[in-house]
Amino acid sequence: FHTCQLSQDDLPICLVLSQKSKCFTIILGNSHKMVYLLTDSEEMREKWVKALRYAMQLEQLAEQKNESNNWIKIVREAFNKADLNGDGHLDFEEVLKLLKSLNTDIKKKYARVMFDEADKNKNVGVSKTSVLDREEFVEFYNRLTKRVELEDIFLKFSNGKGYMNIRDILGFLRDGQKIVDANEDQCRNIIDQFEPEGRCKKSDLLSVDGFRQFLISEREQLFNPSHRVVYQDMTRPMTHYFIASSHNTYLAEDQLRGPSQVEMYISALKKGCRCVELDCWDGPDGQPVIYHGYTLTSKILFEDVIRAINNYAFQASPYPVTLSIENHCSVEQQERMAQIMTSVFGDKIWSTQTDLIRTPTPEDLRNKIIIKGKRLPSITERDADVSDEDEAADIPNNETSVNNNKTKRNSKIQKIKLSPALSKITSMKSVGFKTLEQSAQPDSFFSVVSLSESKVERFIQTNPLELNKVTHNRLIRTYPAGSRTDSSNYIPMPMWVHGCQVGYLFTVLLEERFKFVTGNLNRSANSMRNVKLTIISGFQFPKPKNSQKGEVIDPFVKVSVHGVAADEAKFRTKVIQNNGFNPRWYETFSFKVKVPELALLRFTVKDQDPGKDDFIGYYCIPLSSIQEGYRHFPLYDKHDNIYRQSLIFIHITISSA
């Protein structure tokens, strides 16, 4: 096989011409960088794909097999990173370079003391200087990463002993972690899984090293592990749920010149997105294409996208996936679209030709594909005109100049011809917006109203109750303003708070982890909560990409509460100078949350710099998914890639007000 050097614009056509059945693509991480490969035969391609998938499965199993290996993995990665010449030993200079890369400003003299204390075997390297082998490096690394804040908690709950017995662990789970129903069997399981010392394990004791491994394990993190699967009641009407959605899903970069990629649909679906957008236009040889019309973005085949959706629609969730069709095709190519979807999806397509007695539920529509778009009147069996008033309203009039060629769009409502074949499989009806009062009226079809970002914001300010009434019977789809050509996202929280269920966001730069589906709200008479949050420390923060060589960051943490207007709040810690390795804050913030069902906590780590502070990472979590007590959580970059070794350590309690 060899790497295909293809331009993005020519890619779909070239793959067809070069026997597409022999090609496959490797997608690298959330950055969506791709390697296109062509094999000698279809059989060879299948062998490679099968082998690569098997290797990926083995890696995933190894990561999931034993949480107690996390710390060992971190140490091993640090050693390999520092062992520049690959001789299996580290001299003092290599260790100093490691300390710089780990974002810590430890004095050379102090580092030398730790190095000499760890050098038990007194080995000498090629350069005739002292070196550490792997076992000695583990000792050095444990000294380096010694976390006083964890040892203080350990001493508190062990009553000053050098170990925790079953009774101590039980006290920590109940009082420290707020697990009121904890029992002794759970304590023994913790020792068995996380205690590294054989003698302690045999005596049912937990050492400080075992306690540290337990606290950084995934199950003890801030996010409640039971919420990693759908835990809400999914038998209510679809209008009762927020739906994770993507706008212009196909675009990998900006909205005017960027490439369109099939892989963007795969990425969105694997992250749990339940509604994707397809902008469909006439293509060559009778094959419809997808791209951002009136721009220089590249084109991809409609059929390629449909096949990708079919393969990945239900990997992350069994609940329905909606294809939002923005239709600009001729009747002939609309019929081709219907033929492709019917052939590929088969009985996965949900369609109803009769009036709905009730709005379907997510449970009714498990593993179903919903086609959203225009529908013909039921009495019509031939193509007819329908309005496109809610179609592609996000490109402003007097369109932005691209290569000095301006394209103007008519602001008046236009008519498009609609194919009966496409109308027949369309089960979510796009309805043009007239007024809030008219839109609030019940519809015999499963329907959706589309509103622009600015229009929704205006209704929130002027008529919020009427806006909410519309959501009782219909879905409201909100989408970004056409001026957001850089793929930046609006803040969806105000729309969600007022009931808008389908908030279209650009998945290219989705900076917040808002990708979840939340069930309908069942509020008690007194649901207000008191939240007490202490930011204790951080661990191994990365450097900003634009940082200078040898620079050590000055981190601080910003905490913001998102929800109803009365719950919005912001806090920030002090700056810790020259320590991105293990900064400690011990700062406490207290606040009330009136509507906890809609509240999100967002943590942002920044590096203080003259002029503009540098973004390091963030974490966002629903208040309802938080585990109380002493908890860690990881950081993510702006492209939603996780920093696996970077952690923030907090203590949080949530009580009734």
Side-chain angles (χ1 to χ4, degrees), residues 469-647:
K469 283 182 182 178
V470 177
T471 68
H472 295 183
N473 298 304
R474 296 184 184 184
L475 295 173
I476 290 184
R477 162 197 180 244
T478 62
Y479 55 87
S483 57
R484 295 182 180 274
T485 58
D486 60 349
S487 299
S488 61
N489 282 312
Y490 61 89
I491 302 297
M493 201 47 149
M495 288 76 163
W496 290 346
V497 166
H498 288 84
C500 300
Q501 305 96 327
V502 189
Y504 272 34
L505 302 175
F506 294 117
T507 51
V508 183
L509 294 176
L510 192 54
E511 293 187 0
E512 302 187 55
R513 295 183 65 77
F514 284 148
K515 300 176 287 299
F516 57 90
V517 180
T518 303
N520 61 305
L521 305 181
N522 293 312
R523 296 194 62 204
S524 59
N526 181 20
S527 62
M528 186 183 293
R529 296 288 184 267
N530 287 326
V531 181
K532 186 177 181 181
L533 168 67
T534 301
I535 308 292
I536 300 174
S537 64
F539 184 67
Q540 284 203 26
F541 292 160
K543 295 181 181 180
K545 289 185 178 179
N546 60 348
S547 61
Q548 297 179 358
K549 187 175 182 180
E551 180 184 0
V552 177
I553 69 170
D554 308 317
F556 65 94
V557 181
K558 296 175 68 175
V559 182
S560 53
V561 185
H562 300 274
V564 300
D567 289 341
E568 296 280 336
K570 293 182 178 180
F571 313 94
R572 63 168 285 174
T573 66
K574 60 180 177 287
V575 175
I576 304 297
Q577 299 291 334
N578 294 324
N579 188 355
F581 185 71
N582 188 203
R584 290 190 281 271
W585 288 278
Y586 294 104
E587 292 191 53
T588 299
F589 309 105
S590 298
F591 51 93
K592 294 182 184 297
V593 178
K594 294 183 177 179
V595 187
E597 300 93 335
L598 288 174
L600 296 171
L601 260 62
R602 189 175 196 267
F603 301 85
T604 307
V605 178
K606 291 195 170 185
D607 172 27
Q608 186 185 54
D609 264 346
K612 184 179 179 181
D613 298 327
D614 291 323
F615 174 84
I616 301 297
Y618 81 96
Y619 185 79
C620 189
I621 183 172
L623 187 70
S624 58
S625 293
I626 285 177
Q627 295 193 107
E628 294 184 78
Y630 295 96
R631 305 292 177 180
H632 289 88
F633 58 84
L635 292 177
Y636 293 81
D637 68 15
K638 68 178 182 178
H639 296 293
D640 214 25
N641 297 304
I642 188 172
Y643 293 117
R644 295 198 175 276
Q645 295 185 14
S646 300
L647 298 169

Side-chain angles (χ1 to χ4, degrees), residues 327 329 331 334 374-377 380 382-389 413-420 423:
N327 181 12
C329 291
V331 171
Q334 289 178 41
K374 290 295 184 179
R375 282 184 60 108
L376 293 170
T380 303
R382 47 189 292 187
D383 60 84
D385 293 334
V386 293
S387 69
D388 71 342
E389 56 199 290
I413 295 174
Q414 300 179 353
K415 296 287 185 177
I416 59 171
K417 289 281 187 183
L418 186 61
S419 157
S423 175

Side-chain angles (χ1 to χ4, degrees), residues 100-115:
K100 283 291 184 183
S101 70
L102 292 177
N103 225 344
T104 182
D105 190 21
I106 295 178
K107 300 299 182 184
K108 188 173 182 179
K109 184 177 179 180
Y110 178 56
R112 183 81 233 187
V113 170
M114 286 196 298
F115 183 94

Side-chain angles (χ1 to χ4, degrees), residues 274-276 278 280 302 306 309 320-327 334 337-338 340-342 345-346 348-352 365 368-375 418 421-430 445-448 504:
R274 297 290 88 193
C275 181
V276 294
L278 295 79
C280 305
F302 176 83
I306 295 302
I309 291 172
V321 170
T322 299
L323 309 190
S324 181
I325 303 291
E326 189 176 296
N327 181 12
Q334 289 178 41
M337 288 165 57
I340 291 169
M341 288 190 285
T342 303
F345 293 144
K348 291 179 184 175
I349 296 178
W350 178 73
S351 62
T352 176
L365 302 178
K368 291 294 183 181
I369 303 284
I370 303 171
I371 311 300
K372 168 196 164 292
K374 290 295 184 179
R375 282 184 60 108
L418 186 61
L422 183 58
S423 175
K424 185 177 180 180
I425 62 174
T426 300
S427 50
M428 184 183 288
K429 181 181 178 182
S430 295
F445 278 99
F446 187 20
S447 59
V448 57
Y504 272 34

